[in-house]
Amino acid sequence: MRWSIAAVVGVAMAAVATSGASAAPVTDAGSGTAITTRVFDRATGEPVKGVCVLALPVLTFRLPNACATRSGGGGRVTVEVPGPGQYNLFALPKPDSPYGAQWVGPDGGTGRQQEARRVTLATGETKRVNQILLDPRATISGVLDMRNNDNDGLVSIAAPELDLHQEKWSVPVGADGTFDIDWVGPYEWPVLFRSQDGPAQWSGRVGNRLIAEVVPAVVGGSVEPYTFRTLRFRGAAIRVQMASLPTGLPGRVVLYNSATGDVMGVGEFDGSQSSVRAVVIGGQQVKIECQCPDGTRWYGGTSFADATPVVAAYYAGINIDMR
């Protein structure tokens, strides 16, 4: 089953433990739990208005098209979170801003989420954290290894949301295989590539964002673009066997990286099949969700948190029974 880029960009994941993957960021949960901070220009010390600030459960990452919480006067911002747990902050300036996006680290910005500051909150707690210091926007410049003829895809720094009609933060690869992501801060970032036919893969040809090769973002663009080498034929084909479903009703199977919750593969069905196939890059563990016409099911559990991880080895053919 081909991974349609137009379709695979939403249905939020089930709520999970803070050490695992989570749904898209929620900033109006009504829990009374929140993070407050201020946003400044690092170079001038001036406060910055209009910067989107996201609070995401640790190690998870989604970029929404719309932003619920932006910095206001004096750079002040308060971000509500769904409840207690550990969170990372991500600062996302507007597309025309002179500043670049960043994970908020202990002493400034970073492109690696695992280096971001962790904020631990109790139920109903509002915690003030150190200020966010913005750096100039920079560009990740790259070129695909054209031997696989994969120059029909998208690149981004975050995995897709399902069902978005337009991906605001993803960049199409040019006909010559080149791409530029020009709205990030001047740090090192993992980069995700998705094509119509091959498995989604992070830089370094891996499925786990936390161990991906990182690519420097340079103010003004890089003279030496990063060569993104892709793997087309080292995926793991996972076939999911399902119980009888109402004929003609569509659904899909979604494969999430077990460490980050990133969407790494999707297989769609129309209700006439008893099984569906999806392909992911090998060398990772995935958790499997069926968004079935008669309800949501998880392989080995009831949510992402307790679902059973499946080892997706290179070249593997894996059969999963979800009947």
Side-chain angles (χ1 to χ4, degrees):
M1 179 81 59
R2 297 179 69 189
W3 184 342
S4 171
I5 290 173
V8 183
V9 280
V11 174
M13 297 167 58
V16 301
T18 58
S19 61
S22 175
V26 178
T27 55
D28 188 16
S31 69
T33 309
I35 300 169
T36 183
T37 187
R38 298 180 68 184
V39 184
F40 292 91
D41 180 313
R42 177 196 286 275
T44 67
E46 292 297 315
V48 181
K49 293 177 59 176
V51 175
C52 179
V53 179
L54 306 173
L56 300 107
V58 293
L59 305 185
T60 69
F61 192 21
R62 297 289 186 273
L63 281 178
N65 277 355
C67 179
T69 308
R70 294 187 180 275
S71 57
R76 295 177 178 84
V77 61
T78 298
V79 187
E80 293 189 7
V81 299
Q86 287 191 320
Y87 294 88
N88 300 132
L89 293 180
F90 189 82
L92 183 63
K94 294 178 180 180
D96 60 353
S97 171
Y99 304 105
Q102 64 168 252
W103 287 107
V104 180
D107 302 305
T110 179
R112 308 184 202 200
Q113 186 175 9
Q114 55 268 49
E115 296 177 354
R117 177 192 306 151
R118 292 192 177 200
V119 183
T120 302
L121 296 170
T123 301
E125 179 183 15
T126 295
K127 180 172 288 187
R128 182 179 298 277
V129 300
N130 291 343
Q131 59 200 17
I132 298 171
L133 302 175
L134 297 179
D135 292 305
R137 66 188 293 162
T139 300
I140 300 171
S141 296
V143 59
L144 289 182
D145 179 350
M146 302 293 285
R147 289 176 295 177
N148 285 331
N149 298 315
D150 274 334
N151 60 323
D152 62 347
L154 298 173
V155 292
S156 58
I157 62 165
E161 286 291 341
L162 301 172
D163 301 323
L164 291 183
H165 296 296
Q166 181 178 2
E167 293 188 69
K168 181 177 180 180
W169 304 106
S170 293
V171 176
V173 176
D176 59 354
T178 61
F179 62 86
D180 291 301
I181 302 173
D182 65 357
W183 48 269
V184 295
Y187 324 115
E188 294 181 320
W189 297 85
V191 176
L192 180 69
F193 170 69
R194 291 170 291 138
S195 72
Q196 289 283 1
D197 298 307
Q201 51 202 285
W202 289 96
S203 41
R205 299 181 283 192
V206 297
N208 183 345
R209 170 169 45 88
L210 303 178
I211 62 171
E213 255 179 30
V214 288
V215 186
V218 179
V219 176
S222 175
V223 176
E224 293 291 336
Y226 171 78
T227 300
F228 198 122
R229 294 180 171 84
T230 63
L231 290 176
R232 180 187 287 271
F233 301 112
R234 294 180 67 185
I238 298 178
R239 183 172 296 279
V240 178
Q241 186 76 26
M242 298 169 294
S244 298
L245 298 172
T247 302
L249 295 181
R252 63 187 167 203
V253 168
V254 185
L255 278 59
Y256 303 94
N257 179 269
S258 63
T260 64
D262 292 339
V263 176
M264 297 305 296
V266 175
E268 298 178 348
F269 57 88
D270 61 12
S272 63
Q273 310 109 298
S274 60
S275 65
V276 63
R277 180 177 180 271
V279 177
V280 294
I281 193 73
Q284 64 176 312
Q285 294 188 32
V286 296
K287 295 189 177 186
I288 303 172
E289 177 194 31
C290 179
Q291 296 173 1
C292 297
D294 57 351
T296 296
R297 307 174 196 167
W298 289 88
Y299 176 63
T302 58
S303 68
F304 183 95
D306 62 1
T308 300
V310 175
V311 176
Y314 292 111
Y315 306 110
I318 302 168
N319 292 311
I320 298 295
D321 193 338
M322 292 184 69
R323 289 176 293 183

